[in-house]
Every structure is written in C-alpha cells, then in structure tokens.
Amino acid sequence: MLKKPSMIVMICLLFTMLGGGIASAHVTVLPSETVQGTYEKFAVRVPTEKDIPTVKVEVKIPIDSVSISRFEPKPGWKYDLTKDASGKITSVTWTATGDGLSATEFGEFYMQGKVADNASSITWKAYQTYKDGSIVEWVGANGSDKPASVTKVSVKPDGAATDSHGNTAASAGSTAGGGHDGQPAAAPAASQTPLYLSIIALILGIIALIVSVSKKKASR
C-alpha cells in the first residue's frame, strides 16, 4: 500500500492536470494584450467541453473599448451581426451550418477592428450554445468558473507613429495588423504553461511512486 506522502503527491498531480485542462477549455479572445489606437486581429477560440457539438457562439462587442468592422468567413459557419442605432456592431453570432464543433474539436473565429484610444482593457462576454440547446455563459469575473475573456490594453507610447487616418501604428512586439489597409496579423498561439505544469507534476508523481515502492521492498 502506498505511503501517505505518495498519496498526497498523486492527489496534487490529479488536481494539477485537471486544473490545466479547465484553464485551457475557456472561450478566449486573442491576443491577450494590445495597444491603444491600433488596428488588431482578434481570434475567438472556442473549445467544446461536452460530449455534444457546439453549434453557436455569440460574442458581445464592448464598443467603448473596441470598434469591430470585419469578419473572416469560416467554412461550415455563418455569422449575423447586431448593431446599435448609430450603426456600430454590438455583437456577432456564429452559427454552424453543418455539424459544428464536436467533443474533441475547437474552432477559431476571426474579426478585425480598432482599439479605442482611451481603452484600458477589453472584456469579451461570450455565449456558447450546444446542440441540445444548453448555453454556457462566459461572462464572469476573472477567477470565476466561467470568466469572460479579457484583452489588456497598454497605453499608446509617446511619439508613436500614426497612419494617414490618425491610427496608432502597431509596435514591434504587438500582434496588431498594419495601418489603414486593415490587414491583420495572425493571433499568437495559446500559452503552453498548463501543459508544462502537468508534465512536471506527472514526472514528480512518478518519482515519488518509485521511491515509495523501493522503500516498501527494502523494508521487507
């Protein structure tokens, strides 16, 4: 029978692996950081957590922080827009025209727009609908079970170059798109930190198990 310390290590390993899976399963909007006044390409990353397909995704556009104007077509999906009285896009809904995203799949939906000059963050509230009609609302605060994705917005650098429309040019470290042509750059890859932590925890758990078994054999 395993000793108590080894049991504790294995339990910690289990929770670490589960925690990594949960963290990576949220609906997120990339990039996680951008700069005031830039044109940016945003990627809405949607994983399916249930055994049934995801068939609809709605994202609210916080128009005080960002102005979205373009959407990239996605095969197997259509999108519908909601606008306010002034014509600004306040939400986008992607609906599957085929099978949607199955239990082992995720999808990315792309949109492009301009970050507000005075924005400090962009909070993206998202609603994920499954084939059975159930809806998961990703609208909570950071640290909650179903948090809304947040893009941090840095202050416009002093002396930052602007294009012919007065928009801030993307900095060298930004994933923002170009200037007035609106051509966006690819969104960054998701953080692999949860995966690395899970691997380290797994290795530590295996070592602890080997030591425990060795001690048990030596005591016989």
Side-chain angles (χ1 to χ4, degrees):
M1 189 173 182
L2 294 179
K3 294 184 178 180
K4 190 173 182 179
S6 296
M7 291 292 291
I8 295 175
V9 171
M10 295 303 290
I11 292 173
C12 290
L13 167 64
L14 176 61
F15 277 100
T16 299
M17 294 181 71
L18 288 176
I22 292 173
S24 62
H26 295 164
V27 170
T28 54
V29 179
L30 301 173
S32 58
E33 295 185 21
T34 187
V35 180
Q36 292 176 344
T38 57
Y39 272 100
E40 189 73 85
K41 177 179 181 178
F42 297 99
V44 181
R45 182 170 294 171
V46 182
T48 291
E49 297 180 290
K50 298 185 179 182
D51 293 330
I52 52 178
T54 293
V55 295
K56 183 188 296 184
V57 180
E58 180 184 6
V59 176
K60 299 292 186 181
I61 311 297
I63 58 177
D64 290 338
S65 303
V66 64
S67 178
I68 298 298
S69 57
R70 295 180 178 87
F71 301 85
E72 182 176 288
K74 184 176 179 66
W77 295 77
K78 67 174 183 175
Y79 66 87
D80 298 291
L81 306 177
T82 301
K83 300 181 180 181
D84 64 9
S86 66
K88 292 184 178 180
I89 298 173
T90 57
S91 72
V92 54
T93 301
W94 287 278
T95 304
T97 56
D99 296 330
L101 302 172
S102 72
T104 57
E105 297 177 335
F106 75 93
E108 289 188 337
F109 305 83
Y110 296 100
M111 55 189 182
Q112 189 262 347
K114 181 180 179 293
V115 180
D117 293 330
N118 60 349
S120 59
S121 64
I122 306 172
T123 300
W124 308 94
K125 293 184 178 182
Y127 302 82
Q128 181 177 10
T129 303
Y130 287 89
K131 193 172 183 178
D132 64 354
S134 60
I135 300 175
V136 178
E137 300 184 355
W138 300 99
V139 299
N142 185 32
S144 63
D145 290 339
K146 298 178 179 62
S149 184
V150 177
T151 298
K152 179 181 177 181
V153 181
S154 300
V155 176
K156 185 190 307 182
D158 292 336
T162 56
D163 62 16
S164 60
H165 292 274
N167 301 307
T168 305
S171 61
S174 173
T175 60
H180 61 279
D181 60 1
Q183 293 300 319
S191 171
Q192 296 300 313
T193 301
L195 175 62
Y196 297 150
L197 291 176
S198 297
I199 293 174
I200 293 172
L202 177 60
I203 293 173
L204 292 176
I206 292 174
I207 292 174
L209 180 61
I210 293 174
V211 171
S212 176
V213 172
S214 299
K215 288 183 177 179
K216 183 177 180 181
K217 288 183 178 180
S219 64
R220 288 181 178 176

